[in-house]
Amino acid sequence: MGCIMNKELEYFKIEDSYGGNQNWFSDYMMKMGGCAAVTACDCSIYFSLYFGKNNMYPFSCDNISKKDYIEFSNIMKPYLRPRMNGIDTLDIFMDGYFDYMKDMGENNLYMKPLYGEESYDKAKNVVIQQIENKYPIPCLILHHKNSDFKEYVWHWFLLIGYKEYDDNMMVKTVTYGNYKWIDLKKLWNTGHERKGGLIIFNQDEKLDK
């Protein structure tokens, strides 16, 4: 079937990498469990580049270097530090990233969760709405029954585009310095009781904490 609707966000490269990559880190814990921090770092650079929120990235956006990105990840680490069970809930991510934004003086960007227990149709509508409004979408997947998604298990990454067809929707994922188009319904329906979900950014409605 033909594509009904589609949109991709502008994004950034760091040398040859599509966004950041936790494999760059020399810190063992960050290399193994720094995906939430990487997701937050990439969001911060994105908001600095495309929303004019220059306070969110403490280095120059004119030529983003791997060296600056690694240093930035060390700034983000105390807010979203790797831990034994990982940053395994949306609330832990939101609390940590909220504290980072507050310390950077960013008071007009808010977050709310869409938990993985919500329906696929609701997730699909949120993805379309967020991408159309030019927001990247942090996504957490915990367990997944489909081995095709093993690289996304217990992992934070970003959604930055969608292609809607008559019978399904593909989303553009970014992680480990690469992007890939995958089926959202298959990704969302993990087959496990414990689920992750999506972070919804907005500039209008503050999430009560």
mmCIF file of all heavy atoms in Angstrom, residues 36-71:
data_model
loop_
_atom_site.group_PDB
_atom_site.id
_atom_site.type_symbol
_atom_site.label_atom_id
_atom_site.label_comp_id
_atom_site.label_asym_id
_atom_site.label_seq_id
_atom_site.Cartn_x
_atom_site.Cartn_y
_atom_site.Cartn_z
ATOM 1 N N ALA A 36 20.046 6.143 28.528
ATOM 2 C CA ALA A 36 19.142 7.228 28.924
ATOM 3 C C ALA A 36 19.863 8.567 28.848
ATOM 4 O O ALA A 36 19.299 9.568 28.384
ATOM 5 C CB ALA A 36 18.594 6.988 30.323
ATOM 6 N N ALA A 37 21.115 8.593 29.311
ATOM 7 C CA ALA A 37 21.899 9.831 29.241
ATOM 8 C C ALA A 37 22.130 10.246 27.790
ATOM 9 O O ALA A 37 22.044 11.431 27.452
ATOM 10 C CB ALA A 37 23.232 9.655 29.969
ATOM 11 N N VAL A 38 22.423 9.293 26.916
ATOM 12 C CA VAL A 38 22.608 9.594 25.494
ATOM 13 C C VAL A 38 21.322 10.161 24.904
ATOM 14 O O VAL A 38 21.345 11.147 24.150
ATOM 15 C CB VAL A 38 23.048 8.333 24.722
ATOM 16 C CG1 VAL A 38 22.929 8.541 23.218
ATOM 17 C CG2 VAL A 38 24.469 7.968 25.074
ATOM 18 N N THR A 39 20.197 9.553 25.244
ATOM 19 C CA THR A 39 18.915 10.035 24.750
ATOM 20 C C THR A 39 18.667 11.468 25.196
ATOM 21 O O THR A 39 18.230 12.322 24.402
ATOM 22 C CB THR A 39 17.780 9.120 25.232
ATOM 23 O OG1 THR A 39 18.008 7.791 24.739
ATOM 24 C CG2 THR A 39 16.422 9.594 24.750
ATOM 25 N N ALA A 40 18.976 11.772 26.447
ATOM 26 C CA ALA A 40 18.811 13.126 26.967
ATOM 27 C C ALA A 40 19.799 14.096 26.312
ATOM 28 O O ALA A 40 19.445 15.231 25.994
ATOM 29 C CB ALA A 40 18.977 13.133 28.484
ATOM 30 N N CYS A 41 21.029 13.660 26.107
ATOM 31 C CA CYS A 41 22.022 14.504 25.432
ATOM 32 C C CYS A 41 21.567 14.839 24.017
ATOM 33 O O CYS A 41 21.643 16.001 23.583
ATOM 34 C CB CYS A 41 23.377 13.801 25.390
ATOM 35 S SG CYS A 41 24.268 13.744 26.957
ATOM 36 N N ASP A 42 21.101 13.831 23.293
ATOM 37 C CA ASP A 42 20.649 14.076 21.925
ATOM 38 C C ASP A 42 19.445 15.014 21.902
ATOM 39 O O ASP A 42 19.352 15.899 21.047
ATOM 40 C CB ASP A 42 20.297 12.752 21.235
ATOM 41 C CG ASP A 42 21.512 12.058 20.644
ATOM 42 O OD1 ASP A 42 22.637 12.314 21.123
ATOM 43 O OD2 ASP A 42 21.343 11.257 19.705
ATOM 44 N N CYS A 43 18.515 14.835 22.830
ATOM 45 C CA CYS A 43 17.366 15.743 22.915
ATOM 46 C C CYS A 43 17.831 17.165 23.184
ATOM 47 O O CYS A 43 17.326 18.129 22.577
ATOM 48 C CB CYS A 43 16.416 15.292 24.023
ATOM 49 S SG CYS A 43 15.434 13.833 23.616
ATOM 50 N N SER A 44 18.794 17.324 24.072
ATOM 51 C CA SER A 44 19.285 18.654 24.422
ATOM 52 C C SER A 44 19.916 19.341 23.229
ATOM 53 O O SER A 44 19.691 20.543 22.989
ATOM 54 C CB SER A 44 20.299 18.556 25.571
ATOM 55 O OG SER A 44 19.703 18.004 26.727
ATOM 56 N N ILE A 45 20.723 18.608 22.473
ATOM 57 C CA ILE A 45 21.333 19.174 21.270
ATOM 58 C C ILE A 45 20.246 19.527 20.252
ATOM 59 O O ILE A 45 20.279 20.589 19.629
ATOM 60 C CB ILE A 45 22.360 18.206 20.669
ATOM 61 C CG1 ILE A 45 23.546 18.045 21.627
ATOM 62 C CG2 ILE A 45 22.837 18.688 19.299
ATOM 63 C CD1 ILE A 45 24.521 16.943 21.233
ATOM 64 N N TYR A 46 19.283 18.635 20.093
ATOM 65 C CA TYR A 46 18.184 18.886 19.160
ATOM 66 C C TYR A 46 17.439 20.173 19.530
ATOM 67 O O TYR A 46 17.189 21.025 18.662
ATOM 68 C CB TYR A 46 17.220 17.699 19.157
ATOM 69 C CG TYR A 46 16.042 17.904 18.237
ATOM 70 C CD1 TYR A 46 16.092 17.523 16.903
ATOM 71 C CD2 TYR A 46 14.880 18.517 18.699
ATOM 72 C CE1 TYR A 46 15.021 17.740 16.048
ATOM 73 C CE2 TYR A 46 13.801 18.744 17.847
ATOM 74 C CZ TYR A 46 13.885 18.347 16.532
ATOM 75 O OH TYR A 46 12.819 18.578 15.684
ATOM 76 N N PHE A 47 17.082 20.328 20.802
ATOM 77 C CA PHE A 47 16.338 21.517 21.219
ATOM 78 C C PHE A 47 17.185 22.789 21.085
ATOM 79 O O PHE A 47 16.658 23.868 20.816
ATOM 80 C CB PHE A 47 15.817 21.354 22.639
ATOM 81 C CG PHE A 47 14.641 20.422 22.755
ATOM 82 C CD1 PHE A 47 14.700 19.300 23.570
ATOM 83 C CD2 PHE A 47 13.485 20.661 22.037
ATOM 84 C CE1 PHE A 47 13.617 18.443 23.667
ATOM 85 C CE2 PHE A 47 12.389 19.805 22.119
ATOM 86 C CZ PHE A 47 12.457 18.687 22.940
ATOM 87 N N SER A 48 18.480 22.647 21.274
ATOM 88 C CA SER A 48 19.366 23.791 21.072
ATOM 89 C C SER A 48 19.422 24.183 19.602
ATOM 90 O O SER A 48 19.335 25.364 19.248
ATOM 91 C CB SER A 48 20.763 23.461 21.596
ATOM 92 O OG SER A 48 21.635 24.560 21.438
ATOM 93 N N LEU A 49 19.526 23.191 18.724
ATOM 94 C CA LEU A 49 19.638 23.442 17.295
ATOM 95 C C LEU A 49 18.345 23.960 16.673
ATOM 96 O O LEU A 49 18.358 24.908 15.884
ATOM 97 C CB LEU A 49 20.057 22.158 16.568
ATOM 98 C CG LEU A 49 21.533 21.769 16.616
ATOM 99 C CD1 LEU A 49 21.701 20.350 16.095
ATOM 100 C CD2 LEU A 49 22.374 22.734 15.793
ATOM 101 N N TYR A 50 17.230 23.322 17.008
ATOM 102 C CA TYR A 50 16.002 23.544 16.250
ATOM 103 C C TYR A 50 14.902 24.277 17.015
ATOM 104 O O TYR A 50 13.907 24.682 16.413
ATOM 105 C CB TYR A 50 15.479 22.193 15.732
ATOM 106 C CG TYR A 50 16.505 21.461 14.924
ATOM 107 C CD1 TYR A 50 16.994 20.218 15.332
ATOM 108 C CD2 TYR A 50 17.022 22.008 13.755
ATOM 109 C CE1 TYR A 50 17.952 19.544 14.600
ATOM 110 C CE2 TYR A 50 17.993 21.340 13.011
ATOM 111 C CZ TYR A 50 18.452 20.119 13.437
ATOM 112 O OH TYR A 50 19.412 19.459 12.710
ATOM 113 N N PHE A 51 15.083 24.465 18.325
ATOM 114 C CA PHE A 51 14.117 25.232 19.109
ATOM 115 C C PHE A 51 14.748 26.492 19.701
ATOM 116 O O PHE A 51 14.083 27.236 20.411
ATOM 117 C CB PHE A 51 13.544 24.376 20.248
ATOM 118 C CG PHE A 51 12.401 23.483 19.839
ATOM 119 C CD1 PHE A 51 12.577 22.475 18.904
ATOM 120 C CD2 PHE A 51 11.143 23.635 20.402
ATOM 121 C CE1 PHE A 51 11.538 21.649 18.524
ATOM 122 C CE2 PHE A 51 10.093 22.813 20.040
ATOM 123 C CZ PHE A 51 10.287 21.817 19.091
ATOM 124 N N GLY A 52 16.041 26.702 19.428
ATOM 125 C CA GLY A 52 16.718 27.887 19.947
ATOM 126 C C GLY A 52 16.950 27.876 21.442
ATOM 127 O O GLY A 52 17.195 28.924 22.050
ATOM 128 N N LYS A 53 16.911 26.689 22.061
ATOM 129 C CA LYS A 53 17.118 26.579 23.500
ATOM 130 C C LYS A 53 18.610 26.364 23.773
ATOM 131 O O LYS A 53 19.059 25.264 24.113
ATOM 132 C CB LYS A 53 16.259 25.443 24.070
ATOM 133 C CG LYS A 53 14.758 25.734 23.967
ATOM 134 C CD LYS A 53 13.925 24.622 24.576
ATOM 135 C CE LYS A 53 12.445 24.948 24.515
ATOM 136 N NZ LYS A 53 12.050 26.086 25.362
ATOM 137 N N ASN A 54 19.371 27.439 23.616
ATOM 138 C CA ASN A 54 20.829 27.353 23.679
ATOM 139 C C ASN A 54 21.361 26.981 25.049
ATOM 140 O O ASN A 54 22.505 26.540 25.180
ATOM 141 C CB ASN A 54 21.439 28.689 23.234
ATOM 142 C CG ASN A 54 21.073 29.036 21.802
ATOM 143 O OD1 ASN A 54 20.968 28.154 20.953
ATOM 144 N ND2 ASN A 54 20.844 30.307 21.536
ATOM 145 N N ASN A 55 20.545 27.157 26.077
ATOM 146 C CA ASN A 55 20.970 26.805 27.428
ATOM 147 C C ASN A 55 21.020 25.298 27.653
ATOM 148 O O ASN A 55 21.593 24.839 28.643
ATOM 149 C CB ASN A 55 20.023 27.436 28.463
ATOM 150 C CG ASN A 55 18.556 27.116 28.196
ATOM 151 O OD1 ASN A 55 18.157 26.920 27.054
ATOM 152 N ND2 ASN A 55 17.748 27.082 29.237
ATOM 153 N N MET A 56 20.462 24.515 26.752
ATOM 154 C CA MET A 56 20.369 23.078 26.988
ATOM 155 C C MET A 56 21.612 22.310 26.551
ATOM 156 O O MET A 56 21.789 21.156 26.934
ATOM 157 C CB MET A 56 19.123 22.513 26.310
ATOM 158 C CG MET A 56 17.842 23.019 26.962
ATOM 159 S SD MET A 56 16.358 22.176 26.377
ATOM 160 C CE MET A 56 16.620 20.509 26.991
ATOM 161 N N TYR A 57 22.476 22.944 25.736
ATOM 162 C CA TYR A 57 23.720 22.294 25.318
ATOM 163 C C TYR A 57 24.865 23.260 25.577
ATOM 164 O O TYR A 57 24.915 24.334 24.968
ATOM 165 C CB TYR A 57 23.656 21.913 23.833
ATOM 166 C CG TYR A 57 24.916 21.254 23.311
ATOM 167 C CD1 TYR A 57 25.391 20.073 23.877
ATOM 168 C CD2 TYR A 57 25.636 21.817 22.259
ATOM 169 C CE1 TYR A 57 26.543 19.470 23.405
ATOM 170 C CE2 TYR A 57 26.788 21.213 21.770
ATOM 171 C CZ TYR A 57 27.238 20.043 22.348
ATOM 172 O OH TYR A 57 28.377 19.444 21.886
ATOM 173 N N PRO A 58 25.796 22.917 26.458
ATOM 174 C CA PRO A 58 26.802 23.883 26.915
ATOM 175 C C PRO A 58 28.003 24.060 25.990
ATOM 176 O O PRO A 58 28.993 24.668 26.388
ATOM 177 C CB PRO A 58 27.236 23.295 28.265
ATOM 178 C CG PRO A 58 27.065 21.823 28.105
ATOM 179 C CD PRO A 58 25.854 21.655 27.223
ATOM 180 N N PHE A 59 27.935 23.534 24.776
ATOM 181 C CA PHE A 59 29.027 23.684 23.817
ATOM 182 C C PHE A 59 28.484 24.288 22.528
ATOM 183 O O PHE A 59 27.284 24.515 22.393
ATOM 184 C CB PHE A 59 29.684 22.327 23.545
ATOM 185 C CG PHE A 59 30.219 21.648 24.778
ATOM 186 C CD1 PHE A 59 29.455 20.709 25.451
ATOM 187 C CD2 PHE A 59 31.472 21.962 25.279
ATOM 188 C CE1 PHE A 59 29.930 20.088 26.598
ATOM 189 C CE2 PHE A 59 31.964 21.349 26.425
ATOM 190 C CZ PHE A 59 31.190 20.412 27.085
ATOM 191 N N SER A 60 29.362 24.521 21.574
ATOM 192 C CA SER A 60 28.945 25.116 20.306
ATOM 193 C C SER A 60 28.189 24.090 19.452
ATOM 194 O O SER A 60 28.615 22.938 19.325
ATOM 195 C CB SER A 60 30.166 25.618 19.528
ATOM 196 O OG SER A 60 29.794 26.024 18.233
ATOM 197 N N CYS A 61 27.085 24.538 18.853
ATOM 198 C CA CYS A 61 26.339 23.693 17.928
ATOM 199 C C CYS A 61 26.820 23.861 16.486
ATOM 200 O O CYS A 61 26.329 23.182 15.585
ATOM 201 C CB CYS A 61 24.848 24.027 18.000
ATOM 202 S SG CYS A 61 24.022 23.340 19.448
ATOM 203 N N ASP A 62 27.766 24.766 16.269
ATOM 204 C CA ASP A 62 28.237 25.021 14.907
ATOM 205 C C ASP A 62 28.975 23.831 14.322
ATOM 206 O O ASP A 62 28.870 23.548 13.134
ATOM 207 C CB ASP A 62 29.157 26.253 14.885
ATOM 208 C CG ASP A 62 28.405 27.539 15.202
ATOM 209 O OD1 ASP A 62 27.168 27.561 15.017
ATOM 210 O OD2 ASP A 62 29.048 28.505 15.641
ATOM 211 N N ASN A 63 29.704 23.140 15.177
ATOM 212 C CA ASN A 63 30.442 21.958 14.730
ATOM 213 C C ASN A 63 30.538 21.002 15.910
ATOM 214 O O ASN A 63 31.519 20.997 16.648
ATOM 215 C CB ASN A 63 31.831 22.345 14.211
ATOM 216 C CG ASN A 63 32.585 21.159 13.657
ATOM 217 O OD1 ASN A 63 31.993 20.140 13.297
ATOM 218 N ND2 ASN A 63 33.900 21.282 13.594
ATOM 219 N N ILE A 64 29.511 20.191 16.082
ATOM 220 C CA ILE A 64 29.435 19.305 17.252
ATOM 221 C C ILE A 64 30.487 18.209 17.115
ATOM 222 O O ILE A 64 30.494 17.453 16.140
ATOM 223 C CB ILE A 64 28.033 18.690 17.379
ATOM 224 C CG1 ILE A 64 26.977 19.792 17.428
ATOM 225 C CG2 ILE A 64 27.935 17.824 18.630
ATOM 226 C CD1 ILE A 64 25.551 19.284 17.259
ATOM 227 N N SER A 65 31.370 18.138 18.087
ATOM 228 C CA SER A 65 32.463 17.161 18.022
ATOM 229 C C SER A 65 32.216 16.002 18.972
ATOM 230 O O SER A 65 31.481 16.126 19.959
ATOM 231 C CB SER A 65 33.791 17.838 18.376
ATOM 232 O OG SER A 65 33.829 18.178 19.751
ATOM 233 N N LYS A 66 32.852 14.881 18.669
ATOM 234 C CA LYS A 66 32.774 13.713 19.552
ATOM 235 C C LYS A 66 33.348 14.050 20.933
ATOM 236 O O LYS A 66 32.806 13.643 21.953
ATOM 237 C CB LYS A 66 33.532 12.538 18.928
ATOM 238 C CG LYS A 66 33.424 11.248 19.707
ATOM 239 C CD LYS A 66 34.327 10.159 19.143
ATOM 240 C CE LYS A 66 33.947 9.747 17.761
ATOM 241 N NZ LYS A 66 34.735 8.565 17.306
ATOM 242 N N LYS A 67 34.431 14.814 20.952
ATOM 243 C CA LYS A 67 35.061 15.199 22.218
ATOM 244 C C LYS A 67 34.073 15.982 23.089
ATOM 245 O O LYS A 67 33.925 15.691 24.281
ATOM 246 C CB LYS A 67 36.307 16.038 21.949
ATOM 247 C CG LYS A 67 37.007 16.567 23.192
ATOM 248 C CD LYS A 67 38.248 17.360 22.803
ATOM 249 C CE LYS A 67 38.949 17.950 24.020
ATOM 250 N NZ LYS A 67 38.120 19.006 24.663
ATOM 251 N N ASP A 68 33.403 16.981 22.509
ATOM 252 C CA ASP A 68 32.431 17.762 23.270
ATOM 253 C C ASP A 68 31.263 16.898 23.722
ATOM 254 O O ASP A 68 30.751 17.053 24.836
ATOM 255 C CB ASP A 68 31.897 18.922 22.425
ATOM 256 C CG ASP A 68 32.902 20.053 22.281
ATOM 257 O OD1 ASP A 68 33.919 20.045 23.007
ATOM 258 O OD2 ASP A 68 32.674 20.943 21.437
ATOM 259 N N TYR A 69 30.836 15.976 22.861
ATOM 260 C CA TYR A 69 29.700 15.120 23.210
ATOM 261 C C TYR A 69 30.038 14.236 24.403
ATOM 262 O O TYR A 69 29.219 14.071 25.320
ATOM 263 C CB TYR A 69 29.296 14.255 22.018
ATOM 264 C CG TYR A 69 27.992 13.525 22.252
ATOM 265 C CD1 TYR A 69 26.780 14.098 21.874
ATOM 266 C CD2 TYR A 69 27.965 12.277 22.854
ATOM 267 C CE1 TYR A 69 25.578 13.439 22.089
ATOM 268 C CE2 TYR A 69 26.780 11.614 23.078
ATOM 269 C CZ TYR A 69 25.583 12.198 22.690
ATOM 270 O OH TYR A 69 24.393 11.532 22.926
ATOM 271 N N ILE A 70 31.235 13.672 24.415
ATOM 272 C CA ILE A 70 31.644 12.819 25.536
ATOM 273 C C ILE A 70 31.702 13.640 26.820
ATOM 274 O O ILE A 70 31.257 13.182 27.883
ATOM 275 C CB ILE A 70 32.998 12.145 25.230
ATOM 276 C CG1 ILE A 70 32.830 11.144 24.077
ATOM 277 C CG2 ILE A 70 33.549 11.454 26.472
ATOM 278 C CD1 ILE A 70 34.136 10.601 23.532
ATOM 279 N N GLU A 71 32.215 14.859 26.714
ATOM 280 C CA GLU A 71 32.243 15.732 27.895
ATOM 281 C C GLU A 71 30.818 16.070 28.337
ATOM 282 O O GLU A 71 30.526 16.115 29.538
ATOM 283 C CB GLU A 71 33.026 17.005 27.586
ATOM 284 C CG GLU A 71 33.313 17.853 28.825
ATOM 285 C CD GLU A 71 34.292 18.979 28.558
ATOM 286 O OE1 GLU A 71 35.007 18.924 27.536
ATOM 287 O OE2 GLU A 71 34.329 19.913 29.388
#
